[in-house]
Amino acid sequence: MVRLLKTETPEVRPVVRTMPLPDDADDPAIWTHPRDPRLSLILGTNKARAPRGAIGVFDLSGRMLQRIDGIDQPNNIDVAYGFALGRERVDIAVATERYASRLRIFRIDPARRRLVDITDPDGARVFAGESGERAMPMGVALHQAGRGEVHAIVSRKSGPKRGYLHQYRLVPTRGRRVGVQLMRAFGAFSGEGEIEAICVDSELGYVYYADEGVGIRKYYADPRHPEREIALFATEYEGDQEGIAIYAPPDGAGYLLCTEQIEGGSKLHIYPRFGVQRKPILTLRTGADKTDGLDASAHNFGAPFEKGLVVAMNSEGRNFWLYRWADIERELERRVR
């Protein structure tokens, strides 16, 4: 449902609200079931110190199916499909574990709809050689590099003005565990705020990340490209630049979605996926409080998400709100007329 506020800025309302997490919801990710999209999952982090830090696994009605506790402050989470683990191809979820300075890597079991930890306890550390906040991973986005290869692009709580992000190849280790191998350090940082939100458009080969309080920066995701900032946009926000997501339908078009974090009612800014992202083609109020994380998918998940969905973190409720893409699409079409 979309309605107009007195400000004439449209507001889109959620159709599903997940059960709350116990402490501090932070970032969601959507996993699409390979055979029946109605059995797909929403994964979300509970940002707290161990033993309360956790990942919640929800169905599309918002019911929690699993909670993985004992993670030392997970921040962001992302998913990838068809990762080559030995002779098998598996779907995976990867989260940052801030105070352990490592990634937590999970296999997604489609039959049981559960996450299974496959982290190599000695091989998944990130930002080696750093200390303090420079060694604390925050954001993560997965780049599907092809032929079963997956890269994790990771930000941290604090870092230098050059090389703030690190890009790691996920590598199988003994006992069907998974570790990481550093590929490069890249990315400019303004020195203001921090960098948390990251999103990769693997199909087009771009990575976007939010330099909070400044704007969203765009780079090539392939580390073989020379390091060059392609664009800096979304510089006019009043709130912090936070969650970023790609809505990529099968017709090859789509949109880049970005969250502006506002107490009591965050905004969703929608940019073209192709070409130059100068100004949003549509801005919506979401009603969600101080949104951090965001994800989107164009899959048909069945009613009420036949055209896909958007998931946004809602701080006050410690949960995640699910929006129908059909509601957003109607407002996009109205603006074009």
Side-chain angles (χ1 to χ4, degrees):
M1 178 179 69
V2 175
R3 64 187 179 91
L4 291 179
L5 302 178
K6 293 179 180 179
T7 60
E8 298 302 319
T9 300
E11 182 177 12
V12 62
R13 301 300 299 173
V15 296
V16 172
R17 295 171 172 86
T18 71
M19 295 173 61
L21 287 164
D23 298 282
D24 185 8
D26 194 73
D27 186 55
I30 302 165
W31 172 74
T32 304
H33 193 280
R35 291 180 297 278
D36 186 350
R38 294 171 298 179
L39 299 177
S40 299
L41 301 172
I42 306 298
L43 316 178
T45 56
N46 182 55
K47 188 174 65 175
R49 293 297 308 265
R52 296 182 63 87
I55 294 171
V57 179
F58 305 89
D59 64 19
L60 296 184
S61 71
R63 182 170 59 107
M64 188 182 295
L65 305 179
Q66 180 187 14
R67 197 177 81 192
I68 303 167
D69 296 312
I71 303 176
D72 207 355
Q73 194 130 336
N75 271 81
N76 286 20
I77 188 167
D78 200 9
V79 302
Y81 300 86
F83 173 66
L85 183 60
R87 296 182 179 181
E88 190 180 4
R89 293 292 183 96
V90 299
D91 297 345
I92 58 172
V94 177
T96 52
E97 187 173 16
R98 187 195 299 186
Y99 286 97
S101 296
R102 67 173 177 173
L103 302 183
R104 291 293 290 269
I105 304 154
F106 301 88
R107 177 175 59 84
I108 304 172
D109 182 337
R112 297 190 300 154
R113 299 165 75 200
R114 297 178 65 84
L115 271 57
V116 180
D117 194 342
I118 55 172
T119 309
D120 184 326
D122 301 315
R125 290 185 62 84
V126 293
F127 303 114
E130 300 279 17
S131 61
E133 291 188 341
R134 288 192 173 211
M136 295 181 178
M138 295 275 285
V140 63
L142 300 183
H143 171 43
Q144 305 226 198
R147 291 181 294 182
E149 184 173 318
V150 176
H151 303 169
I153 299 177
V154 188
S155 68
R156 41 187 160 165
K157 183 66 176 175
S158 179
K161 291 192 173 183
R162 294 288 174 185
Y164 195 105
L165 300 127
H166 282 191
Q167 185 164 351
Y168 298 89
R169 179 185 289 112
L170 300 184
V171 292
T173 61
R174 292 182 179 179
R176 293 178 58 79
R177 296 282 175 169
V178 179
V180 300
Q181 181 182 79
L182 179 64
M183 302 183 75
R184 64 166 173 168
F186 75 101
F189 174 49
S190 66
E192 301 181 27
E194 63 190 25
I195 294 171
E196 181 177 7
I198 316 170
C199 178
V200 176
D201 188 334
S202 292
E203 183 181 355
L204 300 187
Y206 299 122
V207 56
Y208 301 88
Y209 66 90
D211 189 343
E212 292 180 14
V214 175
I216 295 174
R217 301 184 187 273
K218 179 179 181 180
Y219 281 76
Y220 289 110
D222 189 334
R224 294 171 297 184
H225 277 281
E227 183 181 341
R228 178 174 68 86
E229 183 171 281
I230 301 168
L232 171 63
F233 61 99
T235 59
E236 70 282 2
Y237 295 179
E238 294 181 10
D240 283 347
Q241 292 85 352
E242 287 287 351
I244 311 172
I246 301 292
Y247 179 84
D251 63 7
Y255 301 94
L256 176 71
L257 314 179
C258 305
T259 297
E260 180 179 358
Q261 187 181 61
I262 300 172
E263 185 173 358
S266 299
K267 293 180 180 179
L268 180 67
H269 300 280
I270 301 177
Y271 295 84
R273 183 178 171 219
F274 288 82
V276 179
Q277 291 91 11
R278 290 191 177 91
K279 292 184 178 181
I281 56 178
L282 176 66
T283 294
L284 296 168
R285 293 185 179 272
T286 65
D289 176 55
K290 293 188 290 188
T291 297
D292 256 357
L294 186 76
D295 202 6
S297 174
H299 284 276
N300 179 354
F301 296 97
F305 303 115
E306 294 93 340
K307 292 190 174 182
L309 62 92
V310 175
V311 184
M313 170 270 221
N314 172 53
S315 181
E316 184 179 22
R318 310 188 311 279
N319 64 349
F320 304 98
W321 288 7
L322 280 61
Y323 302 83
R324 298 192 306 173
W325 183 260
D327 292 335
I328 297 171
E329 183 179 68
R330 278 195 293 270
E331 190 60 28
L332 283 164
E333 291 173 348
R334 192 184 74 84
R335 288 300 176 98
V336 170
R337 295 192 196 111

